[in-house]
């Protein structure tokens, strides 16, 4: 429910309006998606691990496979972002990096 924004003086603000919304604390117990995400992700990993064990896959190989599937898309995204930043910095005129425009972008929410 937080809306990250810059205040008039340019500082980063991440207010939490739960105390101002009647019943807001109760809504967070019902509307939060992260617990469901972790529950479903954990179940999917358990099923994947059980299937890997049936095929005789070692724990190390299973973890390496999962990491590879997570890290390649992340690396591609990071390289594209970095390339865009470098191109923007090479263009004429002032350049501000993404984390200067919006440091909250790199802050886990």
């Amino acid at each position: 429910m937080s809306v990250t924004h810059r205040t008039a003086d340019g500082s980063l603000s991440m207010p939490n309006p739960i105390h101002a919304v009647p019943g807001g604390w109760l809504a967070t117990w019902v509307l939060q998606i992260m617990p469901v995400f972790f529950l479903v992700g954990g179940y999917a990993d358990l099923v994947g691990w059980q299937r890997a064990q049936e095929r005789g896959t070692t724990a190390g190989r299973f973890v390496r496979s999962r990491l590879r599937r997570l890290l390649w898309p992340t690396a591609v995204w990071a390289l594209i972002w970095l390339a865009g930043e470098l191109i923007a910095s090479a263009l004429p005129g002032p350049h501000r990096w993404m984390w200067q425009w919006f440091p909250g972008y790199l802050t886990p929410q």
Side-chain angles (χ1 to χ4, degrees), residues 6-7 9-12 81-82 84-104:
R6 291 212 179 263
T7 60
D9 67 356
S11 63
L12 190 63
W81 179 19
L82 181 60
E85 288 276 14
L86 292 174
I87 290 168
S89 71
L91 295 174
H95 173 72
R96 289 178 66 187
W97 297 92
M98 173 64 94
W99 54 82
Q100 290 171 313
W101 280 104
F102 188 62

Side-chain angles (χ1 to χ4, degrees), residues 2-3 7 20 22 25 27 30 33-34 47 62 67-68 81 96 104:
S2 178
V3 178
T7 60
W25 65 271
V30 177
I33 193 65
M34 289 306 291
V47 169
F62 176 76
L67 285 175
R68 186 172 32 256
W81 179 19
R96 289 178 66 187

Side-chain angles (χ1 to χ4, degrees), residues 1 15 17 33-35 39 42 53 61 73 75 83 97 109:
M1 293 177 70
I33 193 65
M34 289 306 291
L39 183 68
Q53 284 180 312
R61 187 176 213 180
W97 297 92
Q109 302 282 332

Side-chain angles (χ1 to χ4, degrees), residues 9-87:
D9 67 356
S11 63
L12 190 63
S13 175
M14 292 187 257
N16 190 345
I18 287 179
H19 67 281
V21 177
W25 65 271
L26 183 58
T28 64
W29 284 90
V30 177
L31 301 175
Q32 290 290 331
I33 193 65
M34 289 306 291
V36 175
F37 174 80
F38 284 112
L39 183 68
V40 171
Y43 177 75
D45 277 339
L46 175 64
V47 169
W49 170 237
Q50 289 170 340
R51 289 185 181 158
Q53 284 180 312
E54 290 170 4
R55 291 190 307 267
T57 303
T58 65
R61 187 176 213 180
F62 176 76
V63 170
R64 281 191 302 275
S65 170
R66 293 285 168 147
L67 285 175
R68 186 172 32 256
R69 291 191 329 211
L70 287 171
L71 294 178
W72 274 112
T74 304
V76 169
W77 172 83
L79 288 173
I80 290 171
W81 179 19
L82 181 60
E85 288 276 14
L86 292 174
I87 290 168

